[in-house]
Amino acid sequence: MTEARLHDGSIIEFEVHGEGPTLLLPVNPRPVEGPRAEQMRKYGADPALGHSLIKGLSTAFRVVAVDYEGHILRTPKPDTLTPVNVVTDLLSVADAAGAERFAYYGYSWLAMIGMQLAIRTGRLSALVMGGFPPLNGPYAEMLRVTTAAHEMASAAQSSREADDSEWSSVALSREQTRQFVTLYQALQGFDDRAAQSRFTCARLCFVGSADEMRYGKNWGDVHVSLAGPIVNGRAQLEELGWDVRVLEGLNHMQAMQATQVVPIIRPWLETRMGSAGPAASLAR
């Protein structure tokens, strides 16, 4: 277990597994157990997702696993969770891990953060985005969802315990929800089409074809389409240099499972980065 200091001075722990080119993986490396694990399963989440991803990837890569989402839920940053600060945090982890060059895989909002990372540093060798479109992203819709979540938390309309796996599907505290409002407010002026020219690394995006999130009345009846922009814009994404994979019939939770993810991203990363071997350390 190693540590890095984040933008607000807090300390985050991370683990390193395997040998080879470095892959920064924002996941919880330790399986969740007990009642909280049962709660996660009710929402379709895998309590051992991070562990399974590490197991499937660390035989080919040097995996730097950091539970960034879990950290910000335990140590909220209501006024400072901006794209610039999150990128600073991830680079601090990479620095502490001794990785000058590295690949990044993130899912959902952490995929969106990966895009911010890729356009703000030249240190990425490859980017994999799962469950969030790199073009025509739902930034306005996500601001509406996060604002509704914050309003509900502020009104104390729910007291359910937070689930670290998918913040938007459960009740969170005022500080926890406020940080996501801060994040998406900062992204309202972001032009993801103009950003395409700023990518310098290999890149892959994937999504379940049924990844369409429809929030109820309490959430403002917002429809967040994560599949649509990728499925309908596949040809344009490929023209812009993206490799695209669509998982037929899978929703947001189903497409994030290790059994779906590892067979997609491992061979793709091996092709772009190489894998563990005598010369692999030279690619770190």
Side-chain angles (χ1 to χ4, degrees):
M1 186 69 71
T2 315
E3 298 179 344
R5 185 176 298 276
L6 303 186
H7 74 271
D8 62 342
S10 63
I11 300 297
I12 191 169
E13 295 181 337
F14 63 90
E15 297 182 4
V16 179
H17 298 263
E19 294 290 335
T22 298
L23 171 63
L24 182 56
L25 200 62
V27 298
N28 183 357
R30 300 179 179 179
V32 177
E33 300 177 347
R36 187 157 154 264
E38 292 303 316
Q39 183 187 31
M40 292 176 68
R41 292 188 184 97
K42 290 180 181 179
Y43 289 105
D46 177 9
L49 176 61
H51 174 78
S52 298
L53 288 171
I54 293 168
K55 183 178 179 180
L57 296 168
S58 62
T59 53
F61 307 103
R62 178 178 182 253
V63 176
V64 177
V66 57
D67 188 13
Y68 189 76
E69 183 175 67
H71 175 84
I72 67 168
L73 290 177
R74 291 186 295 270
T75 310
K77 310 173 194 315
D79 300 314
T80 64
L81 194 74
T82 64
V84 171
N85 284 338
V86 177
V87 168
T88 297
D89 290 345
L90 293 174
L91 291 178
S92 293
V93 173
D95 289 342
E100 177 59 30
R101 292 278 291 174
F102 58 95
Y104 176 93
Y105 162 60
Y107 192 85
S108 195
W109 76 275
L110 289 166
M112 178 270 291
I113 288 302
M115 184 173 179
Q116 294 295 315
L117 179 65
I119 65 174
R120 294 173 188 273
T121 180
R123 294 170 60 179
L124 278 195
S125 55
L127 167 66
V128 181
M129 294 179 63
F132 198 98
L135 187 64
N136 299 317
Y139 298 99
E141 293 87 345
M142 287 308 302
L143 179 58
R144 291 174 61 191
V145 169
T146 53
T147 299
H150 181 58
E151 290 173 350
M152 285 191 287
S154 298
Q157 293 181 357
S158 176
S159 60
R160 285 182 296 171
E161 180 181 353
D163 172 353
D164 288 358
S165 68
E166 186 61 22
W167 65 268
S168 59
S169 65
V170 295
L172 302 179
S173 72
R174 292 178 60 184
E175 291 76 16
Q176 288 170 324
T177 54
R178 174 61 191 169
Q179 64 188 341
F180 290 106
V181 175
T182 296
L183 178 64
Y184 283 104
Q185 281 179 334
L187 287 163
Q188 291 311 291
F190 177 61
D191 186 342
D192 58 11
R193 185 174 300 275
Q196 300 300 316
S197 63
R198 298 168 63 183
F199 290 111
T200 59
C201 63
R203 48 205 180 274
L204 164 71
C205 64
F206 70 89
V207 71
S209 65
D211 197 344
E212 302 289 334
M213 293 188 170
R214 293 175 171 81
Y215 293 84
K217 183 178 180 181
N218 288 341
W219 304 87
D221 295 315
V222 178
H223 173 207
V224 178
S225 179
L226 298 172
I230 295 178
V231 173
N232 299 328
R234 182 170 189 165
Q236 185 175 19
L237 283 167
E238 291 175 341
E239 288 177 3
L240 290 168
W242 289 87
D243 290 320
V244 180
R245 306 286 188 273
V246 176
L247 304 178
E248 292 298 330
L250 301 189
N251 62 26
H252 194 68
M253 287 295 187
Q254 292 167 338
M256 74 188 297
Q257 303 308 314
T259 53
Q260 301 294 335
V261 173
V262 173
I264 294 174
I265 74 172
R266 175 167 170 155
W268 185 86
L269 286 169
E270 286 177 328
T271 299
R272 271 97 188 142
M273 300 171 60
S275 59
S281 61
L282 297 177
R284 290 185 190 174

